Amino acid sequence: MSSDQFKQCADEIKQLIRDIDRVSNAKRDIPYLNITSPQCTNLANTTMLGCQRILQGHQSKIYSIDWMRDSRHLISVSQDSTIRIWDAFESQLIHTLNARSKWLLSTAISPDSKTAAVAGVLKRILIFDVEQRLRTRTSEIDSDRYKLSELSGHSSMCFSIKYMGSNRLISGSADMSCRLWDLNQSCASSTYLGHTGDVLSVTPQNNTDFFISAGSDKTIRLWDTRTSQCQGVFGGHDAPINNVAFLKNNNYVFGSACDDGTCGLFDLRAKQALHFFKPVNVTKRIPFTSISFSQSGRLLFASGNNDQSNGTSSLIFVFDTLKGNCVQTLAGHQHSISSLRTSPDGSCVASASWDNTIRIWA
């Protein structure tokens, strides 16, 4: 090998090292060797998050939020009958849609960020054009102007909705059913029965035909959209399960947030729970309402609402999924935290609360 060829190879290796470092830093994590070294007992010294933004504008409790794919804009729904679109970078309210319906309980953004779905007490799901809405900056308007379709079929309120691709939607309802919706036809294509209580949360497996659901019957169920039969039941909790979420880059591992004061980590391959996370040095049971994972899956964010004699103390617990311990708690919200979402690029976590605010943590 000539000296020029050797120099070229050395330059390529250096460039590869820089690329690896860039991708690693984007994960906002630390190398695995550092994690498992005797000198590193936990992530407490490497994971220090703080509140960077507070989004204010809602006049009542916020029940649900979701990020757009640019990791800058997010949408929220509230008891004040409005759907709001925010610029998280600038802490700015961009748009307000008046849905003319109180108790909006859930919202979801399509993977291409062109449409948004909202649902709540009125038993129907509304689909809106948010791509067109982002191109204009106007004052509060009636949501009917941007409504694309309305999905009816549930016999009771919808607690949870999620997109499965850009043209399908899954929902969970107090009528104890999950439904798969064809957005091109604006109708339900399948109904999934098996839960014996309210279905409080649904979430799809990444890029597959499977999804999971959880509810007040204390179970998590696995479904295949190609058949109406339940593919598996996961137990371990002894209270209503409020939220479930898959790891961002793992189709087999998912977490749960439960009223029993624990967050579960489950593996579809093992067909059981791997671990239950619980705060230490806490005398009273803290119900968990929502969870979200970091980009790498190393961190589990869980919102817990602890009733105290002087009010409600709402915290976000940051658990190390490898070691099982809590590495940080985030305080700031003055009322119950209803929703947690990690941004698509993994750079921050958003939390929505009954104190009418959204906080951005990074």
Side-chain angles (χ1 to χ4, degrees):
M1 178 182 292
S2 66
S3 59
D4 290 341
Q5 290 175 322
F6 184 83
K7 185 178 182 300
Q8 181 180 356
C9 289
D11 291 340
E12 290 178 357
I13 292 172
K14 290 179 181 178
Q15 182 59 47
L16 286 173
I17 292 174
R18 287 193 292 268
D19 291 342
I20 292 171
D21 289 340
R22 176 177 52 81
V23 173
S24 178
N25 291 334
K27 299 293 185 181
R28 289 183 170 265
D29 220 327
I30 59 176
Y32 184 79
L33 290 177
N34 290 358
I35 296 168
T36 55
S37 68
Q39 292 77 21
C40 183
T41 57
N42 56 56
L43 292 178
N45 296 325
T46 58
T47 304
M48 293 302 295
L49 303 176
C51 181
Q52 307 299 323
R53 301 283 189 276
I54 300 178
L55 310 182
Q56 297 176 305
H58 277 295
Q59 302 303 310
S60 191
K61 299 174 181 177
I62 304 173
Y63 280 100
S64 181
I65 53 175
D66 200 12
W67 285 97
M68 295 186 180
R69 64 177 179 178
D70 61 4
S71 296
R72 175 169 185 157
H73 298 93
L74 56 84
I75 191 171
S76 61
V77 294
S78 166
Q79 190 180 337
D80 65 9
S81 304
T82 64
I83 306 158
R84 298 180 186 242
I85 302 175
W86 308 83
D87 184 334
F89 287 6
E90 303 293 336
S91 303
Q92 183 179 6
L93 173 63
I94 297 178
H95 299 296
T96 301
L97 298 177
N98 185 355
R100 297 181 300 174
S101 171
K102 288 192 175 182
W103 300 100
L104 297 173
L105 301 177
S106 184
T107 186
I109 296 286
S110 63
D112 57 12
S113 292
K114 292 183 178 181
T115 64
V118 300
V121 172
L122 291 184
K123 310 175 189 177
R124 60 181 186 264
I125 302 169
L126 306 177
I127 310 297
F128 294 97
D129 182 345
V130 292
E131 183 182 43
Q132 179 186 0
R133 193 75 181 96
L134 281 175
R135 288 197 291 263
T136 61
R137 288 176 178 255
T138 59
S139 58
E140 180 173 335
I141 63 170
D142 194 291
S143 61
D144 286 347
R145 178 178 172 184
Y146 291 91
K147 185 169 71 176
L148 298 176
S149 61
E150 186 173 307
L151 310 176
S152 299
H154 281 298
S155 60
S156 189
M157 66 182 73
C158 289
F159 287 111
S160 180
I161 51 177
K162 288 289 190 304
Y163 277 86
M164 291 190 73
S166 297
N167 298 313
R168 296 194 301 172
L169 190 81
I170 52 174
S171 60
S173 168
D175 64 12
M176 300 187 291
S177 75
C178 304
R179 289 177 185 252
L180 177 68
W181 304 88
D182 184 333
L183 299 184
N184 291 326
Q185 301 297 323
S186 298
C187 65
S189 57
S190 299
T191 301
Y192 307 92
L193 301 173
H195 281 287
T196 57
D198 299 348
V199 181
L200 302 176
S201 181
V202 293
T203 192
Q205 194 181 45
N206 304 315
N207 302 315
T208 73
D209 291 306
F210 291 87
F211 72 92
I212 55 176
S213 61
S216 60
D217 61 1
K218 311 173 189 177
T219 67
I220 301 168
R221 293 176 179 265
L222 174 67
W223 307 91
D224 185 343
T225 58
R226 296 165 295 186
T227 174
S228 60
Q229 299 300 313
C230 177
Q231 304 299 304
V233 180
F234 297 82
H237 286 299
D238 60 8
I241 303 168
N242 296 309
N243 190 222
V244 284
F246 276 100
L247 267 70
K248 289 182 175 293
N249 298 312
N250 191 310
N251 272 346
Y252 302 104
V253 180
F254 64 89
S256 60
C258 184
D259 277 347
D260 65 7
T262 67
C263 293
L265 191 68
F266 296 82
D267 193 317
L268 294 179
R269 296 161 296 189
K271 299 182 180 179
Q272 63 181 7
L274 302 177
H275 187 71
F276 288 97
F277 302 92
K278 183 178 180 180
V280 296
N281 301 324
V282 175
T283 56
K284 289 184 62 177
R285 186 166 73 175
I286 300 178
F288 285 102
T289 55
S290 185
I291 60 168
S292 188
F293 289 97
S294 65
Q295 187 79 356
S296 66
R298 179 67 197 275
L299 300 178
L300 168 64
F301 305 97
S303 58
N305 300 317
N306 186 20
D307 291 329
Q308 302 286 353
S309 58
N310 62 347
T312 300
S313 175
S314 297
L315 300 172
I316 299 173
F317 295 86
V318 185
F319 293 104
D320 180 348
T321 58
L322 184 64
K323 293 183 177 292
N325 60 315
C326 180
V327 297
Q328 191 180 1
T329 56
L330 306 175
H333 282 297
Q334 302 303 310
H335 212 311
S336 300
I337 300 170
S338 54
S339 184
L340 286 178
R341 292 289 185 274
T342 305
S343 62
D345 65 1
S347 62
C348 59
V349 179
S351 60
S353 171
W354 287 9
D355 65 9
N356 309 348
T357 69
I358 300 168
R359 289 176 178 255
I360 309 298
W361 309 85

